[in-house]
């Protein structure tokens, strides 16, 4: 951990010491370049571990001794100051390398724990849920872990396939804990409750025990019934995209805006679900705001609706791979926010 073989930083310590030695030999003893040999162990601590920094430091001390003898400054105040500076920088570099290696081990542990948590919280999505084919992609903006506040789940119930996609307000472990509360409540309520408003009420009650008055979760609940109707209940979340088999794209905006989960007390009447037809071959893309709020180098948001052609025709997994690659190319840098994408489709009828 911590060694970057083949990188310029691996060669830089020796290149710097060789340069200092060449300059010292050409300039003569009166200029006083020898203390710059301490750059060798200093740069070594950036690329290597404690042992490598120590070996580079020993090499610098040996080189310093040879050059000091050549310059006839051994035993002088200038010679002693040079040795002290090289030894001191080597010791400091070894300490810095030790701290860096420890931090890298801790970072590796955090990532491992986060990956385990992700597998428990966001369970692997099966390719088929009842009559529906599903595909999902999750991009975390966190440098220290691959999990954040975005959430998704698809389950097969007696009422049909039920879905939740959401985004917890906030970051860090608090957001992960809230996402776990939402998913736990959904996984229970989706099987028990007759309608999506009842599922949302169960999630609201669970969140009431978890959130403060200033926290919330945007989310969209969906149900695809056996009759081919897609029912949606949007609670302050970006609208899903419906891609018809004929390539027509439609944003499924709710008839009326509704507050996010956790803020239902701000309105008197509960949000009402709405339905659209969902024929074989149609596709619906659920996503979180990290997708549409990704910006390019000119500060322009990602035009998701204009990229819907990437989702037509191909296998759902291939389609989301193409959309994810296009999103990352558009941003040109790591995303500023987590981004989740979930696509559902049913098979078109067979033709003779």
């Amino acid at each position: 951990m911590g060694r970057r073989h083949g990188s310029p930083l691996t060669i830089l310590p020796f290149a710097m010491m060789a340069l200092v030695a060449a300059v010292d030999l050409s300039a003569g003893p009166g200029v006083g370049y020898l203390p710059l040999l301490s750059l060798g162990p200093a740069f070594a601590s950036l690329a290597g571990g404690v042992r490598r920094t120590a070996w580079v430091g020993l090499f610098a001390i040996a080189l310093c001794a040879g050059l000091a003898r050549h310059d006839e400054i051994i035993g002088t105040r200038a010679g002693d100051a040079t040795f002290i500076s090289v030894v001191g920088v080597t010791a400091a570099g070894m300490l810095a390398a030790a701290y860096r290696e420890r931090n890298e081990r801790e970072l590796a542990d955090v990532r491992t724990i986060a990956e385990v948590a992700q597998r428990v919280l966001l369970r692997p999505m099966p390719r088929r849920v009842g009559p529906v084919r599903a595909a999902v992609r999750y991009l975390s903006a966190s440098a220290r872990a691959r999990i954040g506040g975005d959430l998704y789940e698809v389950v097969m119930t007696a009422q049909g396939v039920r879905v939740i996609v959401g985004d917890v307000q906030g970051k860090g472990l608090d957001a992960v804990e809230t996402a776990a509360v939402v998913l736990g409540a959904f996984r229970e309520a989706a099987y028990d409750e007759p309608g999506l408003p009842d599922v949302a009420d169960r999630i609201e009650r669970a969140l009431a025990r978890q959130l403060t008055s200033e926290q919330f979760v945007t989310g969209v609940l969906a149900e695809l019934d056996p009759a081919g109707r897609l029912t949606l209940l949007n609670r302050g979340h970006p609208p899903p995209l419906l891609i018809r088999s004929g390539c027509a794209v439609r944003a499924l905006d709710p008839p009326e805006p509704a507050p996010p989960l956790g803020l239902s007390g701000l309105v008197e009447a509960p949000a009402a679900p709405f339905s659209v037809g969902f024929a074989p071959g149609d596709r619906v893309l659920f996503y979180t705001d990290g997708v549409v709020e990704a910006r390019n180098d000119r500060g322009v948001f990602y035009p998701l609706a204009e990229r819907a052609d990437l989702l037509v025709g191909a296998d759902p997994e291939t389609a989301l791979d193409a959309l994810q690659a296009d999103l990352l190319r558009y941003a040109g840098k790591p995303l500023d926010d987590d981004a989740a994408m979930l696509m559902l489709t049913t098979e078109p009828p067979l033709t003779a």
Side-chain angles (χ1 to χ4, degrees):
M1 181 69 64
R3 291 162 179 79
R4 300 167 176 81
H5 297 292
S7 78
L9 286 176
T10 304
I11 306 171
L12 186 58
F14 300 99
M16 291 301 302
M17 289 186 292
L19 178 62
V20 171
V23 172
D24 181 80
L25 290 174
S26 63
V31 181
Y33 282 114
L34 284 188
L36 293 179
L37 288 173
S38 60
L39 291 174
F43 282 117
S45 67
L46 299 177
V50 176
R51 183 175 299 179
R52 184 173 185 276
T53 302
W55 280 112
V56 173
L58 289 174
F59 182 81
I61 292 171
L63 182 60
C64 181
L67 292 173
R69 183 178 297 276
H70 175 271
D71 293 342
E72 298 180 349
I73 60 171
I74 290 181
T76 66
R77 180 177 299 177
D80 293 342
T82 298
F83 280 106
I84 291 173
S85 66
V86 174
V87 171
V89 172
T90 299
M94 292 172 63
L95 184 62
Y99 276 112
R100 179 177 51 77
E101 286 187 318
R102 186 187 67 179
N103 290 336
E104 289 178 346
R105 286 193 297 268
E106 291 177 353
L107 176 58
D109 291 342
V110 168
R111 285 175 172 163
T112 300
I113 294 170
E115 289 172 7
V116 173
Q118 185 179 44
R119 288 194 293 269
V120 173
L121 181 60
L122 301 178
R123 300 179 297 198
M125 183 68 62
R127 288 179 175 263
R128 185 175 292 276
V129 183
V132 173
R133 296 181 66 188
V136 68
R137 293 294 180 272
Y138 188 101
L139 299 172
S140 176
S142 173
R144 297 184 62 87
R146 294 194 339 197
I147 191 169
D150 288 7
L151 58 97
Y152 55 82
E153 182 63 288
V154 180
V155 296
M156 183 67 199
T157 72
Q159 291 79 17
V161 176
R162 285 184 166 177
V163 181
I164 185 171
V165 175
D167 186 2
V168 178
Q169 177 257 343
K171 302 290 184 182
L173 294 178
D174 289 341
V176 175
E177 184 179 0
T178 301
V181 172
V182 173
L183 287 174
F186 172 79
R187 287 164 180 163
E188 290 186 4
Y191 294 100
D192 301 335
E193 300 296 344
L196 293 181
D198 305 297
V199 177
D201 288 343
R202 286 273 292 271
I203 297 174
E204 287 273 8
R205 291 196 294 271
L207 286 174
R209 299 187 293 267
Q210 169 73 21
L211 299 181
T212 67
S213 59
E214 297 180 353
Q215 294 177 307
F216 58 86
V217 179
T218 67
V220 57
L221 299 168
E223 177 183 293
L224 179 58
D225 62 33
R229 298 291 296 175
L230 178 65
T231 302
L232 298 166
L233 178 60
N234 195 318
R235 300 294 299 271
H237 199 73
L241 286 184
L242 177 64
I243 303 102
R244 295 291 188 187
S245 56
C247 299
V249 180
R250 173 187 171 190
L252 298 177
D253 293 295
E256 296 181 0
L261 296 165
L263 298 179
S264 60
L266 298 178
V267 296
E268 295 181 1
F274 64 101
S275 299
V276 295
F278 196 76
D282 290 347
R283 299 182 172 199
V284 60
L285 176 70
F286 301 89
Y287 55 93
T288 57
D289 57 8
V291 176
V292 290
E293 292 181 359
R295 300 172 184 259
N296 62 10
D297 55 1
R298 299 187 303 275
V300 180
F301 290 120
Y302 182 68
L304 177 61
E306 298 175 13
R307 301 299 209 269
D309 59 309
L310 298 171
L311 305 175
V312 178
D315 173 87
E317 295 285 343
T318 305
L320 281 194
D321 283 340
L323 184 63
Q324 175 179 299
D326 185 69
L327 173 65
L328 294 175
R329 280 195 303 269
Y330 184 88
K333 61 183 184 305
L335 300 182
D336 295 327
D337 194 9
D338 297 338
M341 298 172 283
L342 170 65
M343 189 168 70
L344 303 181
T345 185
T346 54
E347 298 290 354
L350 298 176
T351 57

